Amino acid sequence: MWKLKIAEGEGPWLTTTNNHVGRQHWEFDHEAGTPQERDQVERYREEFTKNRFQIKQSADLLMRMQVRNLSLLHLPLISQAIKVKETEDITEEAVTTTLRRAISFYSTIQAHDGHWPAESAGPLFFLPPLVIALYVTGAVNEILSPEHQMEIIRYICNHQVLCLIACYVEDPNSEAYKRHLARIPDYFWLAEDGMKMQSRNGGFPAWEPQRAFSWYVECTASAIQGLVLFRKLHPGHRTKEIDSCITRAIKYIEETQNPDGSW
């Protein structure tokens, strides 16, 4: 069972200036958890997968289960809620009870070092480059245990921003796959610097259109990889347009690269 570790750290390469206060990381322990707790975790996972198209954001239930179980050992029970009708006056007792309920709730999910553990994962595009980097450097199996790898696969399967590939795997001739292909041109934008992925406000970082900067190159690189794979699988489909897109996108990436190799 996975265990959330709070304010802990060891090893010669891990440094801290505050004794790891605020650090949160997950470790897998084969011996951790009661049978009831393990069953509850599986129910959480099954419920999320079943409803993943309606509710796309996790509720951090695994974290809440562990942190609240520890906190409830030291906290009084949360008082019952007070219901006030529209025609009733709000009393000082009702306000005080409501505030105490709110404080008690946040106390139950507060870690022992004082911070509130929470997900800060961002969009799915963070994950593949990390895995690729670990694979290229030869550290993928050193850093990512089999349990890590299984959970990463679970996350990708649950969310699939990779809808195009997922539809192709299910049925290369499906209507869903063809509809994805038909929409691809909507996400390309051409300027004097080359071909890029765009979003609703005109920038090409489609994962966060209202805040992301227009000079990121990750989505353009991902688009190149997708087009190269598509060209290999369907060599006769719109070859001229695809070759032109790839050439211009590569030109854009090369011309925005700094002399030291970075972007």
PDB file of all heavy atoms in Angstrom, residues 175-212:
ATOM      1  N   GLU A 175     -14.987   5.727 -36.307  1.00  0.00           N
ATOM      2  CA  GLU A 175     -15.463   7.091 -36.535  1.00  0.00           C
ATOM      3  C   GLU A 175     -14.766   8.078 -35.598  1.00  0.00           C
ATOM      4  O   GLU A 175     -14.435   9.202 -36.004  1.00  0.00           O
ATOM      5  CB  GLU A 175     -16.976   7.143 -36.329  1.00  0.00           C
ATOM      6  CG  GLU A 175     -17.579   8.534 -36.485  1.00  0.00           C
ATOM      7  CD  GLU A 175     -19.067   8.559 -36.217  1.00  0.00           C
ATOM      8  OE1 GLU A 175     -19.701   7.496 -36.314  1.00  0.00           O
ATOM      9  OE2 GLU A 175     -19.586   9.648 -35.909  1.00  0.00           O
ATOM     10  N   ALA A 176     -14.535   7.656 -34.333  1.00  0.00           N
ATOM     11  CA  ALA A 176     -13.884   8.543 -33.370  1.00  0.00           C
ATOM     12  C   ALA A 176     -12.485   8.928 -33.827  1.00  0.00           C
ATOM     13  O   ALA A 176     -12.077  10.095 -33.725  1.00  0.00           O
ATOM     14  CB  ALA A 176     -13.825   7.857 -31.998  1.00  0.00           C
ATOM     15  N   TYR A 177     -11.730   7.956 -34.351  1.00  0.00           N
ATOM     16  CA  TYR A 177     -10.371   8.236 -34.823  1.00  0.00           C
ATOM     17  C   TYR A 177     -10.395   9.211 -36.001  1.00  0.00           C
ATOM     18  O   TYR A 177      -9.614  10.164 -36.068  1.00  0.00           O
ATOM     19  CB  TYR A 177      -9.692   6.930 -35.216  1.00  0.00           C
ATOM     20  CG  TYR A 177      -8.314   7.097 -35.800  1.00  0.00           C
ATOM     21  CD1 TYR A 177      -7.282   7.633 -35.029  1.00  0.00           C
ATOM     22  CD2 TYR A 177      -8.040   6.723 -37.098  1.00  0.00           C
ATOM     23  CE1 TYR A 177      -6.018   7.806 -35.562  1.00  0.00           C
ATOM     24  CE2 TYR A 177      -6.775   6.881 -37.642  1.00  0.00           C
ATOM     25  CZ  TYR A 177      -5.766   7.427 -36.863  1.00  0.00           C
ATOM     26  OH  TYR A 177      -4.519   7.596 -37.394  1.00  0.00           O
ATOM     27  N   LYS A 178     -11.316   8.999 -36.934  1.00  0.00           N
ATOM     28  CA  LYS A 178     -11.395   9.870 -38.097  1.00  0.00           C
ATOM     29  C   LYS A 178     -11.814  11.279 -37.709  1.00  0.00           C
ATOM     30  O   LYS A 178     -11.367  12.269 -38.306  1.00  0.00           O
ATOM     31  CB  LYS A 178     -12.370   9.282 -39.110  1.00  0.00           C
ATOM     32  CG  LYS A 178     -11.880   7.971 -39.717  1.00  0.00           C
ATOM     33  CD  LYS A 178     -12.917   7.349 -40.636  1.00  0.00           C
ATOM     34  CE  LYS A 178     -12.413   6.016 -41.195  1.00  0.00           C
ATOM     35  NZ  LYS A 178     -13.427   5.356 -42.041  1.00  0.00           N
ATOM     36  N   ARG A 179     -12.655  11.391 -36.689  1.00  0.00           N
ATOM     37  CA  ARG A 179     -13.054  12.725 -36.226  1.00  0.00           C
ATOM     38  C   ARG A 179     -11.886  13.459 -35.580  1.00  0.00           C
ATOM     39  O   ARG A 179     -11.767  14.686 -35.684  1.00  0.00           O
ATOM     40  CB  ARG A 179     -14.235  12.616 -35.259  1.00  0.00           C
ATOM     41  CG  ARG A 179     -15.531  12.213 -35.930  1.00  0.00           C
ATOM     42  CD  ARG A 179     -16.703  12.268 -34.979  1.00  0.00           C
ATOM     43  NE  ARG A 179     -17.943  11.886 -35.640  1.00  0.00           N
ATOM     44  CZ  ARG A 179     -18.695  12.718 -36.357  1.00  0.00           C
ATOM     45  NH1 ARG A 179     -18.315  13.986 -36.505  1.00  0.00           N
ATOM     46  NH2 ARG A 179     -19.808  12.303 -36.920  1.00  0.00           N
ATOM     47  N   HIS A 180     -11.030  12.709 -34.873  1.00  0.00           N
ATOM     48  CA  HIS A 180      -9.830  13.334 -34.311  1.00  0.00           C
ATOM     49  C   HIS A 180      -8.920  13.856 -35.421  1.00  0.00           C
ATOM     50  O   HIS A 180      -8.389  14.968 -35.347  1.00  0.00           O
ATOM     51  CB  HIS A 180      -9.069  12.337 -33.437  1.00  0.00           C
ATOM     52  CG  HIS A 180      -9.594  12.244 -32.042  1.00  0.00           C
ATOM     53  ND1 HIS A 180      -9.466  13.263 -31.129  1.00  0.00           N
ATOM     54  CD2 HIS A 180     -10.253  11.253 -31.397  1.00  0.00           C
ATOM     55  CE1 HIS A 180     -10.025  12.912 -29.980  1.00  0.00           C
ATOM     56  NE2 HIS A 180     -10.506  11.695 -30.120  1.00  0.00           N
ATOM     57  N   LEU A 181      -8.723  13.044 -36.445  1.00  0.00           N
ATOM     58  CA  LEU A 181      -7.865  13.459 -37.563  1.00  0.00           C
ATOM     59  C   LEU A 181      -8.406  14.722 -38.227  1.00  0.00           C
ATOM     60  O   LEU A 181      -7.646  15.621 -38.603  1.00  0.00           O
ATOM     61  CB  LEU A 181      -7.769  12.336 -38.598  1.00  0.00           C
ATOM     62  CG  LEU A 181      -7.056  11.056 -38.165  1.00  0.00           C
ATOM     63  CD1 LEU A 181      -7.016  10.079 -39.333  1.00  0.00           C
ATOM     64  CD2 LEU A 181      -5.642  11.353 -37.677  1.00  0.00           C
ATOM     65  N   ALA A 182      -9.725  14.799 -38.344  1.00  0.00           N
ATOM     66  CA  ALA A 182     -10.330  15.947 -39.011  1.00  0.00           C
ATOM     67  C   ALA A 182     -10.120  17.246 -38.250  1.00  0.00           C
ATOM     68  O   ALA A 182     -10.117  18.334 -38.830  1.00  0.00           O
ATOM     69  CB  ALA A 182     -11.828  15.698 -39.211  1.00  0.00           C
ATOM     70  N   ARG A 183      -9.913  17.150 -36.939  1.00  0.00           N
ATOM     71  CA  ARG A 183      -9.748  18.338 -36.107  1.00  0.00           C
ATOM     72  C   ARG A 183      -8.291  18.775 -35.934  1.00  0.00           C
ATOM     73  O   ARG A 183      -8.022  19.849 -35.410  1.00  0.00           O
ATOM     74  CB  ARG A 183     -10.350  18.089 -34.725  1.00  0.00           C
ATOM     75  CG  ARG A 183     -11.852  18.320 -34.654  1.00  0.00           C
ATOM     76  CD  ARG A 183     -12.198  19.760 -34.906  1.00  0.00           C
ATOM     77  NE  ARG A 183     -13.631  20.000 -34.870  1.00  0.00           N
ATOM     78  CZ  ARG A 183     -14.182  21.169 -35.143  1.00  0.00           C
ATOM     79  NH1 ARG A 183     -13.412  22.190 -35.496  1.00  0.00           N
ATOM     80  NH2 ARG A 183     -15.486  21.315 -35.105  1.00  0.00           N
ATOM     81  N   ILE A 184      -7.349  17.962 -36.357  1.00  0.00           N
ATOM     82  CA  ILE A 184      -5.945  18.291 -36.160  1.00  0.00           C
ATOM     83  C   ILE A 184      -5.572  19.639 -36.768  1.00  0.00           C
ATOM     84  O   ILE A 184      -4.866  20.442 -36.132  1.00  0.00           O
ATOM     85  CB  ILE A 184      -5.043  17.168 -36.701  1.00  0.00           C
ATOM     86  CG1 ILE A 184      -5.099  15.951 -35.762  1.00  0.00           C
ATOM     87  CG2 ILE A 184      -3.586  17.648 -36.844  1.00  0.00           C
ATOM     88  CD1 ILE A 184      -4.275  14.773 -36.226  1.00  0.00           C
ATOM     89  N   PRO A 185      -6.016  19.979 -37.992  1.00  0.00           N
ATOM     90  CA  PRO A 185      -5.652  21.282 -38.547  1.00  0.00           C
ATOM     91  C   PRO A 185      -6.070  22.468 -37.685  1.00  0.00           C
ATOM     92  O   PRO A 185      -5.439  23.532 -37.742  1.00  0.00           O
ATOM     93  CB  PRO A 185      -6.385  21.296 -39.901  1.00  0.00           C
ATOM     94  CG  PRO A 185      -6.522  19.862 -40.268  1.00  0.00           C
ATOM     95  CD  PRO A 185      -6.761  19.154 -38.974  1.00  0.00           C
ATOM     96  N   ASP A 186      -7.106  22.297 -36.860  1.00  0.00           N
ATOM     97  CA  ASP A 186      -7.560  23.394 -36.008  1.00  0.00           C
ATOM     98  C   ASP A 186      -6.515  23.803 -34.978  1.00  0.00           C
ATOM     99  O   ASP A 186      -6.575  24.908 -34.440  1.00  0.00           O
ATOM    100  CB  ASP A 186      -8.848  22.999 -35.278  1.00  0.00           C
ATOM    101  CG  ASP A 186     -10.000  22.720 -36.233  1.00  0.00           C
ATOM    102  OD1 ASP A 186      -9.749  22.692 -37.448  1.00  0.00           O
ATOM    103  OD2 ASP A 186     -11.136  22.533 -35.760  1.00  0.00           O
ATOM    104  N   TYR A 187      -5.591  22.894 -34.666  1.00  0.00           N
ATOM    105  CA  TYR A 187      -4.616  23.157 -33.614  1.00  0.00           C
ATOM    106  C   TYR A 187      -3.262  23.602 -34.148  1.00  0.00           C
ATOM    107  O   TYR A 187      -2.331  23.812 -33.368  1.00  0.00           O
ATOM    108  CB  TYR A 187      -4.445  21.906 -32.742  1.00  0.00           C
ATOM    109  CG  TYR A 187      -5.671  21.612 -31.929  1.00  0.00           C
ATOM    110  CD1 TYR A 187      -6.652  20.748 -32.403  1.00  0.00           C
ATOM    111  CD2 TYR A 187      -5.883  22.215 -30.695  1.00  0.00           C
ATOM    112  CE1 TYR A 187      -7.801  20.484 -31.678  1.00  0.00           C
ATOM    113  CE2 TYR A 187      -7.017  21.969 -29.951  1.00  0.00           C
ATOM    114  CZ  TYR A 187      -7.978  21.094 -30.438  1.00  0.00           C
ATOM    115  OH  TYR A 187      -9.114  20.850 -29.712  1.00  0.00           O
ATOM    116  N   PHE A 188      -3.144  23.731 -35.450  1.00  0.00           N
ATOM    117  CA  PHE A 188      -1.895  24.222 -36.031  1.00  0.00           C
ATOM    118  C   PHE A 188      -2.009  25.715 -36.309  1.00  0.00           C
ATOM    119  O   PHE A 188      -3.056  26.203 -36.750  1.00  0.00           O
ATOM    120  CB  PHE A 188      -1.579  23.494 -37.349  1.00  0.00           C
ATOM    121  CG  PHE A 188      -1.122  22.086 -37.164  1.00  0.00           C
ATOM    122  CD1 PHE A 188      -1.553  21.086 -38.034  1.00  0.00           C
ATOM    123  CD2 PHE A 188      -0.272  21.746 -36.142  1.00  0.00           C
ATOM    124  CE1 PHE A 188      -1.134  19.782 -37.877  1.00  0.00           C
ATOM    125  CE2 PHE A 188       0.154  20.438 -35.970  1.00  0.00           C
ATOM    126  CZ  PHE A 188      -0.270  19.461 -36.836  1.00  0.00           C
ATOM    127  N   TRP A 189      -0.919  26.421 -36.065  1.00  0.00           N
ATOM    128  CA  TRP A 189      -0.858  27.835 -36.407  1.00  0.00           C
ATOM    129  C   TRP A 189       0.464  28.106 -37.102  1.00  0.00           C
ATOM    130  O   TRP A 189       1.513  27.665 -36.645  1.00  0.00           O
ATOM    131  CB  TRP A 189      -0.979  28.708 -35.179  1.00  0.00           C
ATOM    132  CG  TRP A 189      -0.992  30.170 -35.525  1.00  0.00           C
ATOM    133  CD1 TRP A 189       0.009  31.057 -35.377  1.00  0.00           C
ATOM    134  CD2 TRP A 189      -2.093  30.892 -36.095  1.00  0.00           C
ATOM    135  NE1 TRP A 189      -0.378  32.294 -35.813  1.00  0.00           N
ATOM    136  CE2 TRP A 189      -1.671  32.223 -36.268  1.00  0.00           C
ATOM    137  CE3 TRP A 189      -3.396  30.519 -36.491  1.00  0.00           C
ATOM    138  CZ2 TRP A 189      -2.491  33.197 -36.812  1.00  0.00           C
ATOM    139  CZ3 TRP A 189      -4.214  31.499 -37.025  1.00  0.00           C
ATOM    140  CH2 TRP A 189      -3.763  32.817 -37.175  1.00  0.00           C
ATOM    141  N   LEU A 190       0.395  28.823 -38.214  1.00  0.00           N
ATOM    142  CA  LEU A 190       1.583  29.084 -39.017  1.00  0.00           C
ATOM    143  C   LEU A 190       1.966  30.559 -38.893  1.00  0.00           C
ATOM    144  O   LEU A 190       1.135  31.449 -39.044  1.00  0.00           O
ATOM    145  CB  LEU A 190       1.320  28.739 -40.491  1.00  0.00           C
ATOM    146  CG  LEU A 190       2.510  28.937 -41.426  1.00  0.00           C
ATOM    147  CD1 LEU A 190       3.627  27.969 -41.066  1.00  0.00           C
ATOM    148  CD2 LEU A 190       2.079  28.743 -42.872  1.00  0.00           C
ATOM    149  N   ALA A 191       3.239  30.788 -38.602  1.00  0.00           N
ATOM    150  CA  ALA A 191       3.779  32.147 -38.558  1.00  0.00           C
ATOM    151  C   ALA A 191       5.155  32.114 -39.184  1.00  0.00           C
ATOM    152  O   ALA A 191       5.615  31.075 -39.669  1.00  0.00           O
ATOM    153  CB  ALA A 191       3.832  32.669 -37.129  1.00  0.00           C
ATOM    154  N   GLU A 192       5.824  33.275 -39.175  1.00  0.00           N
ATOM    155  CA  GLU A 192       7.125  33.339 -39.826  1.00  0.00           C
ATOM    156  C   GLU A 192       8.171  32.467 -39.153  1.00  0.00           C
ATOM    157  O   GLU A 192       9.230  32.193 -39.716  1.00  0.00           O
ATOM    158  CB  GLU A 192       7.630  34.790 -39.868  1.00  0.00           C
ATOM    159  CG  GLU A 192       7.907  35.407 -38.500  1.00  0.00           C
ATOM    160  CD  GLU A 192       6.655  36.015 -37.885  1.00  0.00           C
ATOM    161  OE1 GLU A 192       5.533  35.747 -38.389  1.00  0.00           O
ATOM    162  OE2 GLU A 192       6.801  36.745 -36.896  1.00  0.00           O
ATOM    163  N   ASP A 193       7.864  31.997 -37.917  1.00  0.00           N
ATOM    164  CA  ASP A 193       8.822  31.142 -37.218  1.00  0.00           C
ATOM    165  C   ASP A 193       8.531  29.664 -37.396  1.00  0.00           C
ATOM    166  O   ASP A 193       9.239  28.827 -36.870  1.00  0.00           O
ATOM    167  CB  ASP A 193       8.865  31.499 -35.728  1.00  0.00           C
ATOM    168  CG  ASP A 193       7.512  31.409 -35.065  1.00  0.00           C
ATOM    169  OD1 ASP A 193       6.510  31.186 -35.779  1.00  0.00           O
ATOM    170  OD2 ASP A 193       7.442  31.568 -33.837  1.00  0.00           O
ATOM    171  N   GLY A 194       7.489  29.300 -38.122  1.00  0.00           N
ATOM    172  CA  GLY A 194       7.206  27.896 -38.370  1.00  0.00           C
ATOM    173  C   GLY A 194       5.833  27.475 -37.907  1.00  0.00           C
ATOM    174  O   GLY A 194       4.982  28.300 -37.567  1.00  0.00           O
ATOM    175  N   MET A 195       5.600  26.162 -37.882  1.00  0.00           N
ATOM    176  CA  MET A 195       4.313  25.590 -37.509  1.00  0.00           C
ATOM    177  C   MET A 195       4.300  25.268 -36.030  1.00  0.00           C
ATOM    178  O   MET A 195       5.269  24.735 -35.488  1.00  0.00           O
ATOM    179  CB  MET A 195       4.072  24.305 -38.309  1.00  0.00           C
ATOM    180  CG  MET A 195       2.755  23.623 -38.006  1.00  0.00           C
ATOM    181  SD  MET A 195       1.320  24.542 -38.558  1.00  0.00           S
ATOM    182  CE  MET A 195       1.499  24.360 -40.332  1.00  0.00           C
ATOM    183  N   LYS A 196       3.183  25.598 -35.379  1.00  0.00           N
ATOM    184  CA  LYS A 196       3.105  25.368 -33.937  1.00  0.00           C
ATOM    185  C   LYS A 196       1.690  24.953 -33.569  1.00  0.00           C
ATOM    186  O   LYS A 196       0.758  25.075 -34.372  1.00  0.00           O
ATOM    187  CB  LYS A 196       3.511  26.619 -33.179  1.00  0.00           C
ATOM    188  CG  LYS A 196       2.611  27.810 -33.465  1.00  0.00           C
ATOM    189  CD  LYS A 196       3.226  29.116 -33.012  1.00  0.00           C
ATOM    190  CE  LYS A 196       4.258  29.578 -34.015  1.00  0.00           C
ATOM    191  NZ  LYS A 196       4.804  30.908 -33.696  1.00  0.00           N
ATOM    192  N   MET A 197       1.557  24.418 -32.336  1.00  0.00           N
ATOM    193  CA  MET A 197       0.236  24.096 -31.816  1.00  0.00           C
ATOM    194  C   MET A 197      -0.330  25.348 -31.172  1.00  0.00           C
ATOM    195  O   MET A 197       0.354  26.041 -30.420  1.00  0.00           O
ATOM    196  CB  MET A 197       0.326  22.987 -30.776  1.00  0.00           C
ATOM    197  CG  MET A 197       0.719  21.646 -31.349  1.00  0.00           C
ATOM    198  SD  MET A 197      -0.577  20.877 -32.298  1.00  0.00           S
ATOM    199  CE  MET A 197      -1.656  20.310 -30.989  1.00  0.00           C
ATOM    200  N   GLN A 198      -1.595  25.652 -31.448  1.00  0.00           N
ATOM    201  CA  GLN A 198      -2.209  26.839 -30.888  1.00  0.00           C
ATOM    202  C   GLN A 198      -3.363  26.459 -29.988  1.00  0.00           C
ATOM    203  O   GLN A 198      -3.875  25.352 -30.021  1.00  0.00           O
ATOM    204  CB  GLN A 198      -2.708  27.758 -31.999  1.00  0.00           C
ATOM    205  CG  GLN A 198      -3.883  27.184 -32.776  1.00  0.00           C
ATOM    206  CD  GLN A 198      -4.577  28.243 -33.575  1.00  0.00           C
ATOM    207  OE1 GLN A 198      -4.425  29.434 -33.316  1.00  0.00           O
ATOM    208  NE2 GLN A 198      -5.340  27.838 -34.557  1.00  0.00           N
ATOM    209  N   SER A 199      -3.781  27.422 -29.162  1.00  0.00           N
ATOM    210  CA  SER A 199      -4.949  27.252 -28.318  1.00  0.00           C
ATOM    211  C   SER A 199      -5.931  28.368 -28.623  1.00  0.00           C
ATOM    212  O   SER A 199      -5.749  29.150 -29.551  1.00  0.00           O
ATOM    213  CB  SER A 199      -4.544  27.273 -26.843  1.00  0.00           C
ATOM    214  OG  SER A 199      -3.874  28.476 -26.548  1.00  0.00           O
ATOM    215  N   ARG A 200      -6.971  28.485 -27.818  1.00  0.00           N
ATOM    216  CA  ARG A 200      -8.059  29.410 -28.135  1.00  0.00           C
ATOM    217  C   ARG A 200      -7.609  30.862 -28.180  1.00  0.00           C
ATOM    218  O   ARG A 200      -8.170  31.670 -28.902  1.00  0.00           O
ATOM    219  CB  ARG A 200      -9.174  29.271 -27.096  1.00  0.00           C
ATOM    220  CG  ARG A 200      -9.921  27.957 -27.177  1.00  0.00           C
ATOM    221  CD  ARG A 200     -10.990  27.890 -26.136  1.00  0.00           C
ATOM    222  NE  ARG A 200     -10.435  28.023 -24.791  1.00  0.00           N
ATOM    223  CZ  ARG A 200     -11.170  28.156 -23.706  1.00  0.00           C
ATOM    224  NH1 ARG A 200     -12.474  28.210 -23.789  1.00  0.00           N
ATOM    225  NH2 ARG A 200     -10.600  28.263 -22.520  1.00  0.00           N
ATOM    226  N   ASN A 201      -6.598  31.239 -27.381  1.00  0.00           N
ATOM    227  CA  ASN A 201      -6.182  32.634 -27.380  1.00  0.00           C
ATOM    228  C   ASN A 201      -5.048  32.897 -28.355  1.00  0.00           C
ATOM    229  O   ASN A 201      -4.453  33.970 -28.343  1.00  0.00           O
ATOM    230  CB  ASN A 201      -5.753  33.051 -25.966  1.00  0.00           C
ATOM    231  CG  ASN A 201      -4.494  32.354 -25.524  1.00  0.00           C
ATOM    232  OD1 ASN A 201      -4.036  31.416 -26.172  1.00  0.00           O
ATOM    233  ND2 ASN A 201      -3.933  32.793 -24.428  1.00  0.00           N
ATOM    234  N   GLY A 202      -4.742  31.928 -29.223  1.00  0.00           N
ATOM    235  CA  GLY A 202      -3.753  32.148 -30.264  1.00  0.00           C
ATOM    236  C   GLY A 202      -2.387  31.586 -29.985  1.00  0.00           C
ATOM    237  O   GLY A 202      -1.592  31.422 -30.903  1.00  0.00           O
ATOM    238  N   GLY A 203      -2.081  31.288 -28.724  1.00  0.00           N
ATOM    239  CA  GLY A 203      -0.794  30.651 -28.416  1.00  0.00           C
ATOM    240  C   GLY A 203      -0.877  29.165 -28.661  1.00  0.00           C
ATOM    241  O   GLY A 203      -1.954  28.598 -28.731  1.00  0.00           O
ATOM    242  N   PHE A 204       0.278  28.505 -28.775  1.00  0.00           N
ATOM    243  CA  PHE A 204       0.221  27.075 -29.077  1.00  0.00           C
ATOM    244  C   PHE A 204       0.310  26.165 -27.881  1.00  0.00           C
ATOM    245  O   PHE A 204       0.209  24.964 -28.028  1.00  0.00           O
ATOM    246  CB  PHE A 204       1.316  26.681 -30.092  1.00  0.00           C
ATOM    247  CG  PHE A 204       2.716  26.875 -29.602  1.00  0.00           C
ATOM    248  CD1 PHE A 204       3.350  25.932 -28.831  1.00  0.00           C
ATOM    249  CD2 PHE A 204       3.416  28.024 -29.942  1.00  0.00           C
ATOM    250  CE1 PHE A 204       4.645  26.104 -28.401  1.00  0.00           C
ATOM    251  CE2 PHE A 204       4.718  28.200 -29.511  1.00  0.00           C
ATOM    252  CZ  PHE A 204       5.336  27.251 -28.742  1.00  0.00           C
ATOM    253  N   PRO A 205       0.529  26.625 -26.618  1.00  0.00           N
ATOM    254  CA  PRO A 205       0.505  25.717 -25.469  1.00  0.00           C
ATOM    255  C   PRO A 205      -0.924  25.391 -25.076  1.00  0.00           C
ATOM    256  O   PRO A 205      -1.520  26.037 -24.228  1.00  0.00           O
ATOM    257  CB  PRO A 205       1.217  26.499 -24.376  1.00  0.00           C
ATOM    258  CG  PRO A 205       0.960  27.925 -24.709  1.00  0.00           C
ATOM    259  CD  PRO A 205       0.890  27.996 -26.211  1.00  0.00           C
ATOM    260  N   ALA A 206      -1.502  24.364 -25.707  1.00  0.00           N
ATOM    261  CA  ALA A 206      -2.939  24.120 -25.588  1.00  0.00           C
ATOM    262  C   ALA A 206      -3.369  23.608 -24.218  1.00  0.00           C
ATOM    263  O   ALA A 206      -4.546  23.538 -23.939  1.00  0.00           O
ATOM    264  CB  ALA A 206      -3.375  23.107 -26.648  1.00  0.00           C
ATOM    265  N   TRP A 207      -2.417  23.238 -23.343  1.00  0.00           N
ATOM    266  CA  TRP A 207      -2.819  22.663 -22.057  1.00  0.00           C
ATOM    267  C   TRP A 207      -3.341  23.722 -21.104  1.00  0.00           C
ATOM    268  O   TRP A 207      -4.086  23.443 -20.196  1.00  0.00           O
ATOM    269  CB  TRP A 207      -1.639  21.929 -21.412  1.00  0.00           C
ATOM    270  CG  TRP A 207      -0.451  22.812 -21.226  1.00  0.00           C
ATOM    271  CD1 TRP A 207      -0.177  23.633 -20.165  1.00  0.00           C
ATOM    272  CD2 TRP A 207       0.629  22.978 -22.135  1.00  0.00           C
ATOM    273  NE1 TRP A 207       0.989  24.296 -20.354  1.00  0.00           N
ATOM    274  CE2 TRP A 207       1.520  23.910 -21.552  1.00  0.00           C
ATOM    275  CE3 TRP A 207       0.938  22.425 -23.372  1.00  0.00           C
ATOM    276  CZ2 TRP A 207       2.700  24.304 -22.188  1.00  0.00           C
ATOM    277  CZ3 TRP A 207       2.108  22.823 -23.984  1.00  0.00           C
ATOM    278  CH2 TRP A 207       2.969  23.735 -23.401  1.00  0.00           C
ATOM    279  N   GLU A 208      -2.955  24.971 -21.223  1.00  0.00           N
ATOM    280  CA  GLU A 208      -3.382  26.011 -20.305  1.00  0.00           C
ATOM    281  C   GLU A 208      -3.473  27.327 -21.071  1.00  0.00           C
ATOM    282  O   GLU A 208      -2.642  28.206 -20.951  1.00  0.00           O
ATOM    283  CB  GLU A 208      -2.366  26.132 -19.157  1.00  0.00           C
ATOM    284  CG  GLU A 208      -2.939  26.829 -17.944  1.00  0.00           C
ATOM    285  CD  GLU A 208      -1.963  26.823 -16.793  1.00  0.00           C
ATOM    286  OE1 GLU A 208      -0.769  26.659 -17.001  1.00  0.00           O
ATOM    287  OE2 GLU A 208      -2.419  27.002 -15.660  1.00  0.00           O
ATOM    288  N   PRO A 209      -4.502  27.503 -21.895  1.00  0.00           N
ATOM    289  CA  PRO A 209      -4.525  28.560 -22.893  1.00  0.00           C
ATOM    290  C   PRO A 209      -4.522  29.967 -22.333  1.00  0.00           C
ATOM    291  O   PRO A 209      -4.066  30.885 -23.000  1.00  0.00           O
ATOM    292  CB  PRO A 209      -5.813  28.288 -23.656  1.00  0.00           C
ATOM    293  CG  PRO A 209      -6.653  27.485 -22.735  1.00  0.00           C
ATOM    294  CD  PRO A 209      -5.700  26.668 -21.939  1.00  0.00           C
ATOM    295  N   GLN A 210      -5.008  30.164 -21.129  1.00  0.00           N
ATOM    296  CA  GLN A 210      -5.127  31.527 -20.641  1.00  0.00           C
ATOM    297  C   GLN A 210      -3.873  32.038 -19.950  1.00  0.00           C
ATOM    298  O   GLN A 210      -3.722  33.242 -19.758  1.00  0.00           O
ATOM    299  CB  GLN A 210      -6.309  31.622 -19.653  1.00  0.00           C
ATOM    300  CG  GLN A 210      -7.625  31.236 -20.286  1.00  0.00           C
ATOM    301  CD  GLN A 210      -7.936  32.050 -21.520  1.00  0.00           C
ATOM    302  OE1 GLN A 210      -7.689  33.237 -21.562  1.00  0.00           O
ATOM    303  NE2 GLN A 210      -8.460  31.408 -22.541  1.00  0.00           N
ATOM    304  N   ARG A 211      -2.957  31.140 -19.562  1.00  0.00           N
ATOM    305  CA  ARG A 211      -1.804  31.609 -18.807  1.00  0.00           C
ATOM    306  C   ARG A 211      -0.473  31.196 -19.404  1.00  0.00           C
ATOM    307  O   ARG A 211       0.550  31.803 -19.101  1.00  0.00           O
ATOM    308  CB  ARG A 211      -1.870  31.081 -17.363  1.00  0.00           C
ATOM    309  CG  ARG A 211      -2.971  31.689 -16.552  1.00  0.00           C
ATOM    310  CD  ARG A 211      -2.766  31.400 -15.091  1.00  0.00           C
ATOM    311  NE  ARG A 211      -2.844  29.969 -14.820  1.00  0.00           N
ATOM    312  CZ  ARG A 211      -2.345  29.411 -13.725  1.00  0.00           C
ATOM    313  NH1 ARG A 211      -1.726  30.119 -12.823  1.00  0.00           N
ATOM    314  NH2 ARG A 211      -2.470  28.123 -13.535  1.00  0.00           N
ATOM    315  N   ALA A 212      -0.445  30.158 -20.214  1.00  0.00           N
ATOM    316  CA  ALA A 212       0.830  29.654 -20.711  1.00  0.00           C
ATOM    317  C   ALA A 212       1.450  30.624 -21.706  1.00  0.00           C
ATOM    318  O   ALA A 212       0.761  31.321 -22.438  1.00  0.00           O
ATOM    319  CB  ALA A 212       0.627  28.297 -21.368  1.00  0.00           C
TER     320      ALA A 212
END
